[in-house]
């Protein structure tokens, strides 16, 4: 009976030590390799990198890579539409005195274009956030298939 107790305590100590070691390994891996997203940048190992370079860090998870490709394309498209709306808004303000109908039409067009661009951009951001989440999950739990 005493030897069973001794074996049980020994096994408990060994498993406890292994759990602490694996927790330390996961924490170190997370601190060094996990990605923190902060548009239009991301951080990896406390280094700030531009968002366009995020693709290089997503190869460990194919799902994350695909989500990033789709999201980044949408994000860029949305930004282009938003800047186009800004330029058209400036033109509409410049022509307000000479041609009021053109100016009003441009102003309505800029509002619509800006709204569409923002929606597309936000959708792209959501996909990029999903890609980072999938990549970080794959980083910490590589053997699991989700």
């Amino acid at each position: 009976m005493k030897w069973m107790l001794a074996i049980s305590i020994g096994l408990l100590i060994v498993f406890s030590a292994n759990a602490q070691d694996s927790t330390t390994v996961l924490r170190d891996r997370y601190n060094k390799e996990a990605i923190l997203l902060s548009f239009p940048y991301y951080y990896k190992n406390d280094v700030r990198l531009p968002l366009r370079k995020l693709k290089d860090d997503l190869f460990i998870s194919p799902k994350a890579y695909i989500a990033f490709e789709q999201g980044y394309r949408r994000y860029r498209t949305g930004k282009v539409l938003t800047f186009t709306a800004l330029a058209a808004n400036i033109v509409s303000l410049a022509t307000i005195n000479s041609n009021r109908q053109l100016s009003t039409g441009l102003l309505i067009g800029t509002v619509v274009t800006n709204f569409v661009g923002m929606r597309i951009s936000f959708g792209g951001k959501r996909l990029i956030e999903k890609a980072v989440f999938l990549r970080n999950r794959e980083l910490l739990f590589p053997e699991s298939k989700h």
Side-chain angles (χ1 to χ4, degrees), residues 14-24:
V14 168
F15 287 133
S16 173
N18 284 343
Q20 288 176 351
D21 288 343
S22 65
T23 302
T24 303

Side-chain angles (χ1 to χ4, degrees), residues 28-102:
D28 290 343
R29 189 170 194 191
Y30 181 81
N31 288 335
K32 290 178 184 167
E33 297 181 41
I35 292 173
L36 172 67
L37 196 55
S38 177
F39 284 97
Y41 301 101
Y42 74 99
Y43 294 86
K44 181 179 174 188
N45 199 15
D46 293 331
V47 176
R48 186 174 96 165
L49 301 163
L51 191 61
R52 65 183 168 355
K53 294 199 177 246
L54 181 58
K55 181 173 30 173
D56 300 337
D57 288 315
L58 294 176
F59 283 113
I60 66 170
S61 176
K63 289 181 183 178
Y65 186 81
I66 292 169
F68 174 77
E69 284 288 312
Q70 293 171 349
Y72 192 64
R73 193 172 20 246
R74 288 182 188 176
Y75 177 71
R76 279 193 331 234
T77 302
K79 289 295 179 190
V80 167
L81 286 174
T82 302
F83 287 123
T84 302
L86 178 64
N89 196 12
I90 292 169
V91 169
S92 81
L93 290 175
T95 61
I96 198 162
N97 289 332
S98 63
N99 191 345
R100 190 169 295 283
Q101 287 180 337
L102 175 66

